[in-house]
Amino acid sequence: MTDLVRILIGPIAWLAAFSAVYGLHGIACAFGWAGIDVGGLSLMRAALTAAWLASLVVLAAILAGLHTRRFGAEPGFVRSVSIMTGWVGVVATLWSLFPVVATSACQ
Protein backbone atom coordinates (compact mmCIF):
# COMPACT_ATOMS: atom_id res chain seq x y z
CA MET A 1 0.00 0.00 0.00
CA THR A 2 1.50 3.32 -0.94
CA ASP A 3 1.75 6.11 1.56
CA LEU A 4 -0.69 8.30 -0.36
CA VAL A 5 -3.33 5.56 -0.27
CA ARG A 6 -2.74 5.05 3.44
CA ILE A 7 -3.29 8.73 4.09
CA LEU A 8 -6.39 9.07 1.89
CA ILE A 9 -8.17 5.75 2.53
CA GLY A 10 -10.24 7.03 5.48
CA PRO A 11 -11.67 10.10 3.72
CA ILE A 12 -12.20 8.15 0.49
CA ALA A 13 -14.11 5.43 2.37
CA TRP A 14 -16.20 8.14 4.04
CA LEU A 15 -16.94 9.65 0.61
CA ALA A 16 -18.05 6.26 -0.70
CA ALA A 17 -20.23 5.67 2.37
CA PHE A 18 -21.76 9.14 2.12
CA SER A 19 -22.58 8.64 -1.56
CA ALA A 20 -23.98 5.14 -0.98
CA VAL A 21 -26.24 6.10 1.93
CA TYR A 22 -27.59 9.21 0.20
CA GLY A 23 -28.10 7.22 -3.00
CA LEU A 24 -29.94 4.55 -1.03
CA HIS A 25 -32.07 7.29 0.52
CA GLY A 26 -33.10 8.43 -2.95
CA ILE A 27 -33.90 4.90 -4.07
CA ALA A 28 -35.93 4.27 -0.91
CA CYS A 29 -37.94 7.45 -1.46
CA ALA A 30 -38.52 6.68 -5.13
CA PHE A 31 -39.82 3.18 -4.43
CA GLY A 32 -41.90 4.03 -1.36
CA TRP A 33 -39.86 2.05 1.17
CA ALA A 34 -40.93 4.46 3.93
CA GLY A 35 -44.41 2.91 3.87
CA ILE A 36 -43.26 -0.73 4.07
CA ASP A 37 -43.05 -2.13 7.60
CA VAL A 38 -40.24 -4.55 8.47
CA GLY A 39 -40.04 -5.70 12.08
CA GLY A 40 -41.37 -2.48 13.56
CA LEU A 41 -39.26 -0.24 11.33
CA SER A 42 -39.89 1.04 7.87
CA LEU A 43 -37.91 -0.73 5.17
CA MET A 44 -36.28 2.62 4.43
CA ARG A 45 -35.05 3.13 8.00
CA ALA A 46 -33.86 -0.49 8.24
CA ALA A 47 -31.92 -0.24 4.95
CA LEU A 48 -30.35 3.13 5.81
CA THR A 49 -29.38 1.94 9.29
CA ALA A 50 -27.85 -1.26 7.88
CA ALA A 51 -25.87 0.73 5.28
CA TRP A 52 -24.66 3.19 7.92
CA LEU A 53 -23.56 0.42 10.29
CA ALA A 54 -21.86 -1.49 7.46
CA SER A 55 -19.98 1.71 6.56
CA LEU A 56 -18.81 2.07 10.15
CA VAL A 57 -17.64 -1.56 10.20
CA VAL A 58 -15.66 -1.03 6.99
CA LEU A 59 -14.07 2.15 8.32
CA ALA A 60 -13.23 0.46 11.62
CA ALA A 61 -11.57 -2.38 9.69
CA ILE A 62 -9.57 0.14 7.66
CA LEU A 63 -8.50 1.91 10.84
CA ALA A 64 -7.48 -1.41 12.41
CA GLY A 65 -5.52 -2.25 9.26
CA LEU A 66 -3.64 1.03 9.44
CA HIS A 67 -2.40 -0.02 12.88
CA THR A 68 -0.93 -3.33 11.62
CA ARG A 69 2.57 -3.95 10.33
CA ARG A 70 1.26 -5.47 7.10
CA PHE A 71 -0.90 -2.56 5.92
CA GLY A 72 0.30 0.32 8.07
CA ALA A 73 3.20 2.60 7.31
CA GLU A 74 6.54 2.48 9.06
CA PRO A 75 6.55 4.38 12.37
CA GLY A 76 6.81 8.08 11.75
CA PHE A 77 4.96 10.92 10.11
CA VAL A 78 3.03 8.95 7.47
CA ARG A 79 1.83 6.39 10.01
CA SER A 80 0.59 9.11 12.36
CA VAL A 81 -1.17 11.04 9.60
CA SER A 82 -2.76 7.93 8.09
CA ILE A 83 -4.14 6.87 11.47
CA MET A 84 -5.46 10.40 12.06
CA THR A 85 -7.18 10.52 8.68
CA GLY A 86 -8.57 7.04 9.37
CA TRP A 87 -10.19 8.49 12.48
CA VAL A 88 -11.42 11.43 10.40
CA GLY A 89 -13.24 8.94 8.16
CA VAL A 90 -14.89 7.22 11.14
CA VAL A 91 -15.96 10.46 12.80
CA ALA A 92 -17.17 11.97 9.51
CA THR A 93 -19.29 8.87 8.88
CA LEU A 94 -20.78 9.02 12.35
CA TRP A 95 -21.45 12.76 12.16
CA SER A 96 -22.65 13.21 8.60
CA LEU A 97 -24.73 10.06 8.13
CA PHE A 98 -26.45 9.80 11.51
CA PRO A 99 -29.04 12.49 10.64
CA VAL A 100 -30.01 10.65 7.45
CA VAL A 101 -30.51 7.42 9.35
CA ALA A 102 -32.29 8.99 12.33
CA THR A 103 -34.45 11.68 10.71
CA SER A 104 -34.85 10.79 7.06
CA ALA A 105 -38.07 11.65 5.30
CA CYS A 106 -39.27 11.74 1.72
CA GLN A 107 -41.02 14.76 0.25
Side-chain angles (χ1 to χ4, degrees):
M1 193 182 292
T2 67
D3 289 341
L4 184 60
V5 172
R6 285 183 185 99
I7 290 171
L8 293 177
I9 192 85
I12 289 171
W14 165 76
L15 176 64
F18 185 86
S19 299
V21 169
Y22 273 94
L24 182 60
H25 183 269
I27 290 168
C29 287
F31 289 104
W33 291 3
I36 301 171
D37 190 42
V38 177
L41 292 173
S42 70
L43 178 59
M44 180 176 169
R45 177 132 358 245
L48 289 174
T49 302
W52 179 55
L53 293 174
S55 301
L56 288 172
V57 167
V58 168
L59 278 153
I62 289 170
L63 187 58
L66 290 171
H67 281 89
T68 65
R69 291 180 114 186
R70 182 174 180 188
F71 297 112
E74 296 295 321
F77 177 76
V78 172
R79 183 178 186 88
S80 298
V81 171
S82 65
I83 289 170
M84 283 186 253
T85 59
W87 276 110
V88 165
V90 171
V91 172
T93 300
L94 281 167
W95 183 260
S96 66
L97 295 180
F98 177 74
V100 170
V101 172
T103 64
S104 59
C106 300
Q107 298 297 330

